[in-house]
Amino acid sequence: MPLMPYCRAHWYLLALIAVAVFAFWPGYFATWYDARWGMHLHGITATGWLLLLAGQSWSIHQRRVGLHRALGRASLFYFPVFLAGASAVLLSMARATPTHPLYQVYGARLAALDGPSLLLLAWLFQRAIAERRQPRRHAASLLATPLPLLPPIVGRIVPVPEMLTAGASDPIPAFGWSVRLGALAAIAIAAILYARRPRDGQPFLVTALALALFAVFFDTLGRTAAWADAMRWLAQQTDVAVLGTAAAIGAAASWTGWVAGRRPRGAAAVPA
């Protein structure tokens, strides 16, 4: 018997990396040298995060508990780096908005979708560490962290039906609908995972509801003048300030989760 649920999760995570490479090949990998540094940082750190999760899943199901614990401790230090990489994309979009044709239309709206996801990721990781002695909750929280990465991946693969773009007011309507379809796919996957294990799948339910809210932000908050002003303010901030703030949030999630999950002194160990 495996020590933890989701015994094939590592294969799905590795497949997600392959799908991401396919999705971003035309717009990123094929133009590697022209991409902004923020895209590079996010691509490297997000790939590292998925590999780390895959390693944790594989090690525990191979009963290599020592390796699993070592990777878990490494995640405490890597998660702030991962979150900083995610914030670098927001900063890159904010700075590219005045000149890049796509971001002139969608930069602020994408930030309204992706920006709040940083807080969702921090919450999921904090809960995963705090509940590390409850295998099912621990696994669900960690495996929910790749879900906010799905909308941009799915949106670049799923073809947009022509009927959806007919009469659209956006200059690049197909991209807008691809983002919506990607968000819908991520919400559906999170809802399915919750339905399979509702007793311990709260992280998937929270993720589904949060992603639904963020998708609404894409067409509401992201279109407001106040949000556009916030993006211009973000573009003026230094790299150290933005990435440092995200890393500090990640470090706070690591620390508070670790402290909350400590076994009380004198408490008996609970068998897995």
Side-chain angles (χ1 to χ4, degrees):
M1 292 290 291
L3 295 179
M4 292 183 69
Y6 312 104
C7 58
R8 291 184 291 274
H10 43 284
W11 297 117
Y12 289 112
L13 290 166
L14 294 176
L16 179 59
I17 294 175
V19 172
V21 171
F22 174 77
F24 286 100
W25 187 268
Y28 175 63
F29 291 101
T31 58
W32 174 271
Y33 294 104
D34 297 327
R36 295 174 177 267
W37 68 268
M39 301 298 181
H40 291 314
L41 181 60
H42 175 56
I44 293 170
T45 56
T47 301
W49 180 252
L50 294 177
L51 289 173
L52 181 59
L53 293 182
Q56 286 184 288
S57 173
W58 177 84
S59 61
I60 197 62
H61 289 107
Q62 295 297 316
R63 299 182 181 275
R64 300 191 178 186
V65 179
L67 176 59
H68 179 79
R69 289 175 176 168
L71 291 173
R73 292 189 179 96
S75 72
L76 296 172
F77 300 95
Y78 188 79
F79 181 76
V81 177
F82 166 54
L83 212 62
S87 73
V89 174
L90 296 176
L91 185 59
S92 294
M93 289 193 299
R95 290 175 176 172
T97 295
T99 58
H100 195 287
L102 178 65
Y103 293 136
Q104 284 178 339
V105 181
Y106 288 107
R109 294 172 64 183
L110 287 171
L113 173 66
D114 297 336
S117 295
L118 300 184
L119 299 179
L120 173 62
L121 288 170
W123 180 81
L124 287 170
F125 185 68
Q126 197 273 348
R127 297 318 305 155
I129 301 303
E131 298 178 325
R132 59 188 179 272
R133 305 187 192 282
Q134 302 179 44
R136 294 183 183 277
R137 285 282 185 96
H138 171 74
S141 294
L142 283 179
L143 294 176
T145 58
L147 293 176
L149 304 177
L150 286 179
I153 295 174
V154 176
R156 284 165 173 78
I157 296 176
V158 178
V160 177
E162 187 174 339
M163 60 177 292
L164 292 179
T165 63
S169 59
D170 292 334
I172 318 172
F175 182 81
W177 278 107
S178 71
V179 172
R180 297 183 186 99
L181 290 175
L184 182 61
I187 293 167
I189 292 173
I192 291 170
L193 290 171
Y194 169 71
R196 291 183 61 187
R197 297 179 184 273
R199 182 176 178 180
D200 303 293
Q202 181 195 23
F204 294 124
L205 176 61
V206 172
T207 300
L209 295 174
L211 291 178
L213 178 62
F214 303 160
V216 172
F217 287 168
F218 178 76
D219 284 307
T220 55
L221 175 65
R223 292 179 181 268
T224 63
W227 187 254
D229 290 340
M231 289 296 290
R232 284 190 285 270
W233 175 84
L234 177 64
Q236 297 171 357
Q237 305 310 304
T238 64
D239 301 343
V240 173
V242 176
L243 272 65
T245 299
I249 293 173
S254 295
W255 174 250
T256 58
W258 181 260
V259 171
R262 283 177 176 171
R263 181 183 292 129
R265 292 184 178 181
V270 179

